[in-house]
Amino acid sequence: MTNQEIIRGAVAAILYQNEANGYTVIRFTTENQQTITVVGTIPMCSLGERLVITGHWETHAAHGQQFRAEFLERLMPDGAMEIQKYLSSRAIRGIGPKTAARIVERFGDQTFAVMEESPERLAEVPGISFKKAMEISENFQKQFGMRKLLEYLMAHGLPADLAMPLYKSYGELAREAIQDDPYLLTEEFFGAEFSAVDAFAVSMGVEAEDLRRMEAATLYTMRHNLGNGHTFLPADKLRDAAAAMISVRSDAVEEAMDNLHETGRMVLDTLRGKRVCYLPEYYEAETFVARWMMEHADAAAVPPAHLRQIVRAIETDSGITYAKDQFDAILDAAGHSVMLLTGGPGTGKTTTVNGILSLFDRMDLKTELAAPTGRAAKRLGELCGREASTIHRLLESQYDPDSGKLQFTRDESEPLRAGAVIVDETSMVDILLMEALLRALKPGCRLILVGDPDQLPSVGAGNLFSDLIRSGRIPTIRLTEIFRQAQESLIVMNAHSINRGQLPEMQRTDRDFFTIVRRDNTSIVETITDLCVRRLPQNMGIPADQIQVLSPTRRTEAGTEALNARLQAALNPPSPEKQERKYGKILFREGDRVMQIRNNYDIMWRKIQGFGLGAGVFNGDVGTIQSIDSAEEIMTVVFDDKIVEYSFDLLGQLELAYAMTVHKSQGSEYRAVILAACHANPYLLTRSILYTAVTRARELLIIVGDPNVIVQMVETNRQSRRYSGLKIRLQKDG
């Protein structure tokens, strides 16, 4: 049994602090003026703060003797000197050292009482307006309310990052709210793991078959499976999975499911005679998309007179002779309200899209170009020679902080002015985003959906593009001819071989696709690092910032986490001139390549040139860290032509991007791609992942690894089954 001690004193310095989980390392001055190192969970710790810490001594191999905090009690700073020191540490947003000195000079040891009970009096201090006084008071109360809530959550094994949304929703009543119904934490807005919340609820006396518990388990199972791409679950599978998760009777969960349906929190429907369950917004999205597609698939658009002559004139003006399928696609775009255009690499999709654009221009149709991600939109714009935007930006998306949901300005009440919309990389579009786009199209607007269904499906729920094609109900042109110029690219030819289930040509070293055999993960990482740092920049003139390393996995020794650490050390080593900030396991450094890993619709950006402002950074956007300001707790990242400032509490939305998973690369194109062919979970070693990786490369594709892994990926044509009702609904009346 470890001997516990109690120490009292004040925080002298903060050596490390992880905002995500509260883990902190501090220098601590005890009451008898000894300075020691304390480690442990001390959320939102501030310089000068007085603490009573219960814990034990331990010896660290590298750092020597330190005190491990197990429990702590926070004491308010006592006396004017301690209060000023505390406020000077910027513990309260809006107060720096100079302001702290003026406030304490005016109010002395009554400072905290004034900030909490009479905040208007802060305006008596020179330099503080009434508005700023109210903001300081609000930040003060939020800081201490948040810290109490943090300590309560962590004492009960609940994640610290729940504190912010909880406090935002319930304020000072947050603790009472979760005591009354612990399972509200599993709602989408909070997103807590069910197991942690359930353990807390049981400790609060919730019974096994409490209706709240069974409903929460059912909804949690539904939301969890959205991550697997399912828009619905069969009712029997949902019932059994939820019952097994909380160890209750299946018939009891069935009653909970019926209650969820009756109260509108879940939709029960029947597809091909089988009872299925939807979350309401996914049911609405799927049924709406099906209705819209059927209505518009059967609605002919009026083409211009002398259509064929117009297309021939476009050929002449552009110096291109279209293949039959390309010519037909351009004609169909004029005569249909909705059309699908698909084909593999080298089959002329871009040429066809440019032909459709030229036709729409001659028809005086205002045409919008869009894609699901920023990089895909940028690439589309470059290929077409005009501006393209993300679908989110096209629809003027906004994040509603109260509901935690995305909202679009453009919808039926304020539709887009476009007479035609062309969407590229449609295989990446999920069912919710497609619903939002369709609702924003004005009557008569043409819609052209372009993509490659053999690539990976969308990260979000649904199997939209594949379902539309396989339904056979939507006019579709599939381009199959590989053009002569594309045939000279081994990248293109190997991509098609992979798609047919044939091994790529891996012996050539004189083309744009070659393989370096490495049998173990250590050699894979070393070779990839050498390629990025030395061989490609020096021998082929490809700088490191135009090389993208891909891996099918995150976790192994040749996964993206290990590769990012190694490539960061080689390409952007530490330097006294480069500021750093650690968040969780990731060390961010000025000059690092980073990627946004979730949609943030609320964060503001400004244009590098000019005065353009906007909001929203999206999953998959890649940028470079320009600066890290520890005093202001701001990290500035440049994304293409935009500058974004991240407060340190948002750094969990970023990760290093020297290497990324194949899934994350979808929709992007890079001058050179290096693929780590490493052993991984068999579910990640599939033909579609290999095909997607290969088709990301524009000029050069290098595979580094075990050829047996490539063989395994080509031979594994496993398509992860997604429960999606769109194809069934489209065929229902067919």
Side-chain angles (χ1 to χ4, degrees), residues 162-345:
L162 291 172
M164 185 69 75
L166 266 174
Y167 195 86
K168 193 173 187 178
S169 297
Y170 297 102
E172 296 294 334
L173 299 176
R175 186 164 157 177
E176 288 78 2
I178 60 175
Q179 287 173 340
D180 182 57
D181 182 9
Y183 293 102
L184 66 84
L185 294 172
T186 64
E187 293 174 2
E188 186 178 9
F189 182 71
F190 301 109
E193 284 291 327
F194 184 87
S195 57
V197 175
D198 194 44
F200 169 65
V202 171
S203 73
M204 299 291 291
V206 173
E207 298 291 337
E209 293 192 0
D210 187 298
L211 185 61
R212 295 172 302 171
R213 183 172 188 251
M214 293 187 292
E215 289 179 346
T218 303
L219 293 175
Y220 184 85
T221 303
M222 289 287 293
R223 283 193 291 267
H224 174 77
N225 277 279
L226 295 175
N228 296 325
H230 305 308
T231 58
F232 72 82
L233 287 179
D236 56 348
K237 291 183 180 296
L238 173 60
R239 177 200 63 207
D240 294 344
M245 184 171 72
I246 57 175
S247 302
V248 298
R249 297 173 297 113
S250 291
D251 58 343
V253 173
E254 188 113 31
E255 294 175 13
M257 290 166 59
D258 289 337
N259 193 60
L260 286 169
H261 175 64
E262 290 171 6
T263 55
R265 289 174 289 164
M266 193 172 77
V267 176
L268 290 172
D269 196 13
T270 301
L271 286 176
R272 289 184 176 165
K274 192 170 185 67
R275 197 167 180 241
V276 297
C277 303
Y278 286 85
L279 291 173
E281 62 185 305
Y282 288 88
Y283 177 79
E284 176 62 26
E286 190 173 276
T287 53
F288 178 84
V289 170
R291 285 196 308 273
W292 191 98
M293 287 291 172
M294 289 304 300
E295 290 170 5
H296 291 78
D298 297 332
V302 179
H306 312 295
L307 175 59
R308 286 183 174 272
Q309 291 91 320
I310 294 173
V311 178
R312 292 299 180 197
I314 293 171
E315 281 185 313
T316 301
D317 292 347
S318 60
I320 292 172
T321 300
Y322 296 122
K324 182 182 183 304
D325 285 346
Q326 293 178 308
F327 197 91
D328 290 344
I330 298 171
L331 296 179
D332 283 3
H336 290 97
S337 295
V338 59
M339 187 190 85
L340 312 179
L341 176 64
T342 181

Side-chain angles (χ1 to χ4, degrees), residues 27 200 220 358 694:
R27 295 290 285 168
F200 169 65
Y220 184 85
S358 296
V694 170

Side-chain angles (χ1 to χ4, degrees), residues 562-613:
L563 282 164
N564 270 317
R566 182 66 178 273
L567 290 168
Q568 181 193 46
L571 295 170
N572 189 31
S575 163
E577 285 76 40
K578 296 176 184 175
Q579 296 297 313
E580 299 178 347
R581 178 71 182 186
K582 191 164 187 179
Y583 189 93
K585 295 180 180 179
I586 301 176
L587 176 67
F588 294 106
R589 182 177 298 135
E590 290 177 347
D592 277 337
R593 187 191 307 175
V594 292
M595 176 171 57
Q596 179 80 14
I597 59 172
R598 67 185 67 137
N599 290 336
N600 185 329
Y601 306 101
D602 210 28
I603 195 168
M604 298 299 298
W605 52 260
R606 56 185 169 84
K607 290 280 190 180
I608 292 176
Q609 296 180 337
F611 300 97
L613 297 173

Side-chain angles (χ1 to χ4, degrees), residues 190 234 282 314 341 365 395 417 433 520 547 592 626 656 661:
F190 301 109
Y282 288 88
I314 293 171
L341 176 64
L365 290 177
L395 301 181
R417 297 185 181 92
L433 187 55
D520 63 274
I547 303 167
D592 277 337
Q626 183 184 70
L656 296 177
T661 62

